[in-house]
Amino acid sequence: MILKAKGCQDIYGKKAKVWQYVNQIIDMVMEEYHYDYIRTPIFEASDLFHRGIGESSDIVSKETYDFKDRGNRLLTLRPEGTAGIVRSYIENKMYAEPTQPLKVYYNGTMYRYERSQAGRYREFTQFGIEVLGTSDPMADAEVISLAVYIYRLLGLKEIKVNINSLGDKNSRDNYRQALIDYFKPQIKHLCEDCQRRLEKNPLRILDCKIDAGNEILKNAPKTIDYLNEESRQHFKKVQEYLDILEIPYEVNPNIVRGLDYYNHTVFEIEAKVEGFGSQNVIGAGGRYDGLVEELGGPKTSCVGFASGLERLILALEKENIELPIEDDVEVFVMYVNDEEKKQAVYLTQELRQAGFCCETEYTSRTLKGQLKQADRLNSKYLVFLNSADLANKLVTVKDNNTKDEEKVAVADLISYLSNKMIGPHDDCCGGHGDCHCK
Ligand code: ATP
Ligand code: MG
């Protein structure tokens, strides 16, 4: 038997319904907030991620799936969504469209070679948004509020928003130097990765999962103290807008994020999941004003966030949130002989195309077996076809809950079931059943 690759998952059955439901909520909220769906390739030129995410980040230095194709091109399975979207924004000259900023959302699989554990996989799914073409702190607050809204709509109560600011390039450079000066004399006490990070990217030391909790990290200089006036104002405005939007948050100077391209606002949203370690961060993001230029486009200010669907769904499970998932069969069509079967095949299609979730028998079960199957599928109505009734163009419909049954003309079946399920269609098809209004 061949097993699935390490760090991957099969999503099926009840869990797949949860995924679909969560995706529906995401699509709905994106429409309300006016973010357009964007789909970019799952693999890109390796260079894109090396330049975009940064050589010194964990993602690029340790976690990418790189491969050469048969034409000897160096490609990488995308570890995150932003770099591909920025590439697409530049390549397709979206910056020239008059409707700036561009507001887009994505939802797809990402790949990172990580130590797999609960909430941390090698193939995982992120949905996220990007706002390209505005430096207004109002957009930073909107991005955070959209994420919080989705989590709340799904029923998560215990969520915590941590925000911080890295400031503009000037503030970030000053801070970087302060960190080097601070860590240098005591770097021997930190892990090997951090020793390498010191010169390359000292901010990353603060994000280290090995040294997290170490006093040296706790006492390190804080970004906030190195913000210049402009950066301070930006951060203040973000907080003001979050207050207006009634989003509770905490300023947490330890949030620096794992990617190289962030400036100004950075944030992480945690679900309070017991025993989940750092996997309780269900979404994260920030501002990245330099990336479009870095990848060859015009100077463009951007902000965005990404959320891990697996972690979000695990958090829903841990909080025992029951989602309103409808997966009952509405109508089960039953038959016994071949003549009845022909009618069943036809009527099943009619009912499905009228908008009912309709099922029938595929494996020659007896009528008793079909009744059991209908119960297993929580069928609401049973339609019995038998030759004698069919000769008079009638079928028997049984309410599987009350067990009441009635003979109904085949021609009236759709409107009969529509009325039963949602009452008279006064506002739509007028009870004819020729609508998809259920
Ligand atoms: P972590 O610190 O947990 O490794 P990260 O900083 O690498 O996270 P991001 O690159 O910001 O994560 O990705 C955004 C979100 O994507 C995370 O908050 C998380 O919900 C999800 N995510 C990241 N890596 C994984 C993974 N390997 N498996 C499942 N979800 C992930
Ligand atoms: Mg990571």
Side-chain angles (χ1 to χ4, degrees):
M1 187 175 57
I2 298 170
L3 304 177
K4 62 184 179 305
K6 200 170 173 193
C8 296
Q9 290 194 99
D10 298 317
I11 311 286
Y12 58 93
K14 173 102 197 294
K15 193 150 186 175
K17 305 246 178 229
V18 170
W19 273 72
Q20 279 183 307
Y21 179 82
V22 171
N23 281 325
Q24 277 166 17
I25 294 285
I26 293 167
D27 289 341
M28 184 191 84
V29 171
M30 295 304 176
E31 196 178 324
E32 290 170 352
Y33 280 68
H34 196 232
Y35 284 76
D36 289 336
Y37 179 60
I38 185 168
R39 220 177 113 87
T40 61
I42 288 180
F43 59 79
E44 298 264 5
S46 300
D47 239 13
L48 174 69
F49 301 112
H50 288 252
R51 272 171 62 190
I53 302 173
E55 300 284 359
S56 64
S57 63
D58 276 1
I59 296 183
V60 168
S61 61
K62 294 194 265 186
E63 297 173 1
T64 51
Y65 278 88
D66 301 314
F67 62 99
K68 268 193 184 157
D69 72 4
R70 290 166 198 267
N72 242 359
R73 296 173 193 87
L74 204 51
L75 300 168
T76 296
L77 295 183
R78 64 182 183 194
E80 54 92 61
T82 306
I85 288 175
V86 169
R87 196 253 328 122
S88 172
Y89 180 74
I90 300 168
E91 186 170 338
N92 297 297
K93 298 194 174 52
M94 293 181 207
Y95 49 78
E97 285 168 18
T99 49
Q100 303 298 312
L102 182 77
K103 292 168 54 183
V104 288
Y105 84 98
Y106 60 91
N107 187 343
T109 44
M110 307 294 160
Y111 299 84
R112 296 185 193 176
Y113 191 79
E114 299 215 56
R115 202 165 65 80
S116 44
Q117 51 196 294
R120 194 175 290 282
Y121 309 98
R122 292 182 173 176
E123 179 184 76
F124 63 100
T125 310
Q126 280 183 343
F127 72 93
I129 60 177
E130 312 293 350
V131 186
L132 301 107
T134 176
S135 58
D136 197 312
M138 159 199 169
D140 308 34
E142 175 176 302
V143 166
I144 296 172
S145 70
L146 179 149
V148 169
Y149 182 51
I150 289 177
Y151 300 149
R152 281 191 186 152
L153 262 189
L154 289 169
L156 282 183
K157 281 172 230 75
E158 301 268 326
I159 52 175
K160 187 172 165 218
V161 179
N162 290 298
I163 61 170
N164 189 24
S165 174
L166 304 173
D168 59 10
K169 184 161 181 337
N170 170 269
S171 310
R172 209 182 137 139
D173 287 348
N174 288 339
Y175 179 58
R176 189 178 185 282
Q177 193 51 52
L179 282 182
I180 295 179
D181 295 345
Y182 170 79
F183 282 124
K184 209 166 205 165
Q186 36 194 352
I187 194 68
K188 288 276 170 293
H189 303 295
L190 298 182
C191 75
E192 271 178 31
D193 278 345
C194 283
Q195 298 184 17
R196 251 180 287 119
R197 288 170 180 139
L198 180 68
E199 292 298 335
K200 273 194 183 164
N201 196 340
L203 263 77
R204 188 80 357 90
I205 297 178
L206 301 173
D207 207 27
C208 180
K209 301 221 165 55
I210 298 169
D211 289 322
N214 187 319
E215 283 299 309
I216 300 178
L217 263 60
K218 280 189 189 150
N219 298 325
K222 308 278 181 248
T223 50
I224 308 268
D225 299 325
Y226 291 81
L227 298 183
N228 57 21
E229 189 47 31
E230 212 186 318
S231 302
R232 206 181 301 279
Q233 280 306 322
H234 184 100
F235 195 37
K236 200 170 142 224
K237 283 277 177 203
V238 173
Q239 294 176 58
E240 245 174 69
Y241 288 124
L242 284 174
D243 292 338
I244 291 172
L245 294 168
E246 298 173 350
I247 307 289
Y249 58 87
E250 209 169 277
V251 175
N252 181 342
N254 296 321
I255 308 279
V256 291
R257 307 292 308 123
L259 313 184
D260 269 1
Y261 53 57
Y262 287 109
N263 64 341
H264 285 298
T265 318
V266 282
F267 65 91
E268 288 185 355
I269 305 179
E270 279 173 45
K272 289 253 178 70
V273 181
E274 294 283 324
F276 223 43
S278 63
Q279 278 84 259
N280 64 2
V281 177
I282 53 173
R287 183 162 273 290
Y288 51 100
D289 294 339
L291 185 61
V292 177
E293 220 177 0
E294 168 70 31
L295 293 175
K299 185 160 176 35
T300 311
S301 299
C302 311
V303 56
F305 97 100
S307 186
L309 266 170
E310 290 81 1
R311 285 195 198 173
L312 170 56
I313 287 168
L314 273 170
L316 295 172
E317 282 169 8
K318 294 267 178 179
E319 279 202 31
N320 292 320
I321 292 168
E322 273 295 325
L323 299 172
I325 290 166
E326 243 316 328
D327 66 345
D328 297 346
V329 163
E330 289 173 315
V331 186
F332 196 104
V333 177
M334 300 185 179
Y335 62 89
V336 179
N337 64 36
D338 251 11
E339 270 318 296
E340 295 160 6
K341 182 175 181 181
K342 285 179 192 161
Q343 274 295 320
V345 167
Y346 177 75
L347 271 181
T348 300
Q349 168 171 280
E350 288 284 288
L351 287 164
R352 285 172 175 168
Q353 294 184 358
F356 296 101
C357 169
C358 183
E359 197 45 285
T360 189
E361 174 55 32
Y362 298 86
T363 60
S364 309
R365 288 185 180 89
T366 61
L367 198 56
K368 203 171 155 205
Q370 291 177 46
L371 282 165
K372 272 196 189 153
Q373 171 76 345
D375 282 344
R376 281 193 286 265
L377 299 175
N378 294 325
S379 308
K380 289 189 184 120
Y381 287 89
L382 314 179
V383 173
F384 296 91
L385 307 188
N386 70 65
S387 304
D389 280 348
L390 285 175
N392 296 316
K393 300 197 164 32
L394 293 173
V395 292
T396 300
V397 181
K398 184 171 181 177
D399 180 324
N400 203 21
N401 188 26
T402 63
K403 307 294 176 198
D404 293 340
E405 55 177 67
E406 267 184 275
K407 283 208 195 304
V408 178
V410 173
D412 296 336
L413 182 60
I414 287 173
S415 63
Y416 174 87
L417 286 167
S418 295
N419 286 338
K420 281 278 179 197
M421 274 182 223
I422 62 165
H425 296 218
D426 291 338
D427 298 330
C428 44
C429 66
H432 300 297
D434 51 358
C435 68
H436 288 268
C437 50
K438 63 191 200 63

